[in-house]
């Protein structure tokens, strides 16, 4: 079945540690996105990539990094510079052409202790 | 600024009654609008979208949405609510200009359907 796979589902880390969240898609989509979800704040865009080897900062990119070396993969690293990393992280993809609805993974919940 | 607003944090409705979840938007040009649903600890599921054409858009699970250009609204509706419809609903608008192409989401509305 085609879809988006995020791993791990739950992740616990100590403060000061970098963590990498995996996102893989087999939908042959060009565009991929990372969103952060916090209670009462909706979804906020961290980074997005419209094509391999290229990505743009979203609204809250500070403290995060990404890479897009393969079309199907868009990992997100939460660095120690991110002040409040505990959140639910959602990866999504789209064909890249309009209207461009997003297809989401099941999310990764990161808790920093 | 391009944005989307969901004015209600929570909507309560009795099972069998009609439901409406409100969304208003502010974009330049023609809007591409979306509704998504999220169940606890899950990703978002696409419900429906408006591109152009008929103002009433039909989507998954019996949901529909009404586009109103003059009121810049895109309210989600269902004629008869089910308890299983209880979830978090997000409205979104696509923003495309220069080298930016992304969805902006509202803050979400929690729908509670009581038996």
């Amino acid at each position: 079945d085609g879809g988006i796979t995020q791993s791990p589902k739950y992740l616990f880390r100590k403060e000061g540690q970098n963590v990498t969240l995996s996102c893989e898609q087999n939908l042959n989509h060009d565009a991929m996105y990372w969103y952060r979800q916090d209670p009462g704040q909706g979804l906020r865009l961290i980074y997005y990539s419209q094509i391999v080897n290229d990505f743009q900062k979203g609204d809250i990119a500070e403290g995060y990094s990404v890479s897009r070396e393969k079309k199907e993969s868009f990992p997100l690293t939460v660095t120690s510079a991110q002040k409040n990393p505990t959140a639910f992280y959602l990866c999504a993809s789209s064909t890249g052409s309009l209207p461009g609805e997003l297809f989401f993974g099941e999310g990764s919940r990161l808790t920093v202790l | 600024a391009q944005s989307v607003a969901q004015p209600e944090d929570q909507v309560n409705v009795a099972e069998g009654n009609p439901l409406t979840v409100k969304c208003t938007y502010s974009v330049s040009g023609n809007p591409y609008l979306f509704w998504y649903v999220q169940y606890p600890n899950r990703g978002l599921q696409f419900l429906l979208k408006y591109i152009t054409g008929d103002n009433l858009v039909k989507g998954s699970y019996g949901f529909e949405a009404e586009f109103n250009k003059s009121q810049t609204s895109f309210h989600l509706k269902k004629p008869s609510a089910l308890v299983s419809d209880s979830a978090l609903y997000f409205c979104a608008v696509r923003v495309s200009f220069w080298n930016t192409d992304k969805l902006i989401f509202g803050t979400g509305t929690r729908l509670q359907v009581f038996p």
Side-chain angles (χ1 to χ4, degrees):
Chain A
D1 286 338
I4 300 175
T5 302
Q6 288 187 240
S7 62
K9 177 76 172 174
Y10 299 95
L11 185 59
F12 297 87
R13 279 295 181 266
K14 292 183 179 179
E15 209 170 302
Q17 289 182 327
N18 291 357
V19 299
T20 297
L21 307 180
S22 170
C23 179
E24 303 277 332
Q25 56 101 355
N26 60 5
L27 300 168
N28 199 33
H29 284 171
D30 287 317
M32 297 187 74
Y33 306 78
W34 275 105
Y35 285 88
R36 170 180 170 141
Q37 185 177 15
D38 296 282
Q41 295 197 48
L43 275 69
R44 293 182 291 168
L45 183 64
I46 305 172
Y47 268 98
Y48 63 106
S49 168
Q50 293 173 287
I51 197 168
V52 176
N53 292 323
D54 188 40
F55 48 83
Q56 288 82 39
K57 292 183 179 180
D59 302 313
I60 56 164
E62 185 176 349
Y64 300 97
S65 66
V66 294
S67 63
R68 186 85 187 278
E69 297 175 3
K70 298 186 296 182
K71 186 176 184 177
E72 59 269 24
S73 179
F74 192 42
L76 173 74
T77 297
V78 184
T79 75
S80 57
Q82 168 50 232
K83 291 182 171 49
N84 297 296
T86 295
F88 191 52
Y89 291 88
L90 288 159
C91 180
S93 71
S94 75
T95 60
S97 55
L98 297 173
E101 63 264 37
L102 300 185
F103 296 84
F104 282 85
E106 289 294 291
S108 292
R109 185 168 296 282
L110 172 63
T111 303
V112 175
L113 306 172
Chain B
Q2 322 234 33
S3 64
V4 61
Q6 295 180 242
E8 302 156 317
D9 290 336
Q10 181 154 327
V11 169
N12 299 318
V13 64
E15 188 173 31
N17 283 1
L19 69 88
T20 299
V21 182
K22 296 179 180 177
C23 172
T24 59
Y25 66 89
S26 173
V27 296
S28 51
N30 294 321
Y32 296 105
L33 296 158
F34 306 85
W35 275 103
Y36 287 83
V37 60
Q38 184 182 34
Y39 298 97
N41 293 310
R42 304 292 299 276
L44 275 67
Q45 296 178 33
F46 170 75
L47 279 179
L48 51 80
K49 65 187 175 190
Y50 173 81
I51 308 169
T52 186
D54 289 340
N55 290 340
L56 188 64
V57 179
K58 294 191 183 298
S60 307
Y61 313 121
F63 283 93
E64 56 192 26
E66 187 171 10
F67 173 71
N68 188 317
K69 188 173 183 177
S70 63
Q71 297 185 2
T72 61
S73 67
F74 188 56
H75 300 332
L76 182 69
K77 301 183 178 187
K78 189 173 183 182
S80 179
L82 300 172
V83 172
S84 57
D85 292 330
S86 298
L88 189 57
Y89 290 81
F90 289 97
C91 181
V93 63
R94 188 164 197 92
V95 172
S96 293
F97 59 90
W98 296 104
N99 66 344
T100 296
D101 189 12
K102 59 184 181 181
L103 255 62
I104 297 175
F105 286 83
T107 51
T109 298
R110 186 164 301 282
L111 173 66
Q112 289 276 15
V113 182
F114 296 95

